């Protein structure tokens, strides 16, 4: 049964990779986390400046730790500072980094990326700013259509992410989206990426394993 799933993921992955490429993005399929890490590291030159949002996927493949171990890299890690002011300053500086690391809340089979954000530093960086955006996306985030991608981003990714934070929203209590307008909402900015205006700026490594939320 496991082999059947691998074959299915490989076939679906190849389809999504070609769809992403048709939208002026670069894309690869990696069957395992280990392959994904190797591919990601091969894309980032020594001496690059690097930052990321709150992606669990890049942590799960070991990418952040591997990059931090390289002394040549200039790392903008907002969690490494001590005050809110320092954190804000670093997040603004990261907007001009060479590589912004992220995942995507959902990807349609025809290559559309959908993301939801609270403070918008992540979706802003995906849309514009960093020279390169490198995404690591688990096969669990692939859905049929753009409408399905938005549904997944709202109903699965956002409601799961809410459990990570000390917030007071309906989804934190019920596990389902209430389309709320509460001060604590993390669903403030919605970004649909259907094409990369800059050729190859967005690079997606699709992984044949479950990653992130």
């Amino acid at each position: 049964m496991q082999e059947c799933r691998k074959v299915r993921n490989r076939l679906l992955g190849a389809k999504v990779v070609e769809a992403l490429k048709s939208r002026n993005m670069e894309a690869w399929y990696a069957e395992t986390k280990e392959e994904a890490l190797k591919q990601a590291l091969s894309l980032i030159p020594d001496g690059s400046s690097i930052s990321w949002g709150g992606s669990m996927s890049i942590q799960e493949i070991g990418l952040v730790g591997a990059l931090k171990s390289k002394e040549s890299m200039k790392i903008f890690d907002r969690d490494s500072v001590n005050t809110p002011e320092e954190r804000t300053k670093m997040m603004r500086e990261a907007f001009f980094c060479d590589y912004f690391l992220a995942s995507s809340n959902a990807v349609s089979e025809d290559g559309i990326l959908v993301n939801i954000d609270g403070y918008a530093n992540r979706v802003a960086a995906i849309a514009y700013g960093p020279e390169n955006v490198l995404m690591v996306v688990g096969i669990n985030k692939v859905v049929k259509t753009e409408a399905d991608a938005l549904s997944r981003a709202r109903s699965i990714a956002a409601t799961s992410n809410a459990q990570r934070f000390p917030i007071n929203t309906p989804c934190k209590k019920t596990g389902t989206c209430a389309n709320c307008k509460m001060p604590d909402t993390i669903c403030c900015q919605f970004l649909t990426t259907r094409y990369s205006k800059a050729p190859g700026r967005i690079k997606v490594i699709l992984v044949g394993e479950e990653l992130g939320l």
Side-chain angles (χ1 to χ4, degrees), residues 23 25 111-115 126-127 191-196 202:
R23 296 181 183 278
M25 306 179 209
I112 294 175
L113 310 173
V114 175
N115 286 281
I126 293 171
L191 175 67
T192 298
T193 305
R194 63 171 299 277
Y195 198 85
S196 176
I202 298 175

Side-chain angles (χ1 to χ4, degrees), residues 4 16 18 20 26 34 50 56 58 61 63 80 95 112 118 125 128 136 141 145-147 160 172 177 185 193 202:
C4 292
V16 177
E18 290 308 308
L20 290 164
E26 293 184 359
E34 292 76 19
I50 302 163
M56 295 175 63
I58 61 172
I61 70 165
L63 181 56
S80 67
F95 194 67
I112 294 175
Y128 183 82
V136 177
K141 297 183 178 182
T145 67
E146 179 181 349
S160 298
K172 178 73 179 260
C177 178
T185 181
T193 305
I202 298 175

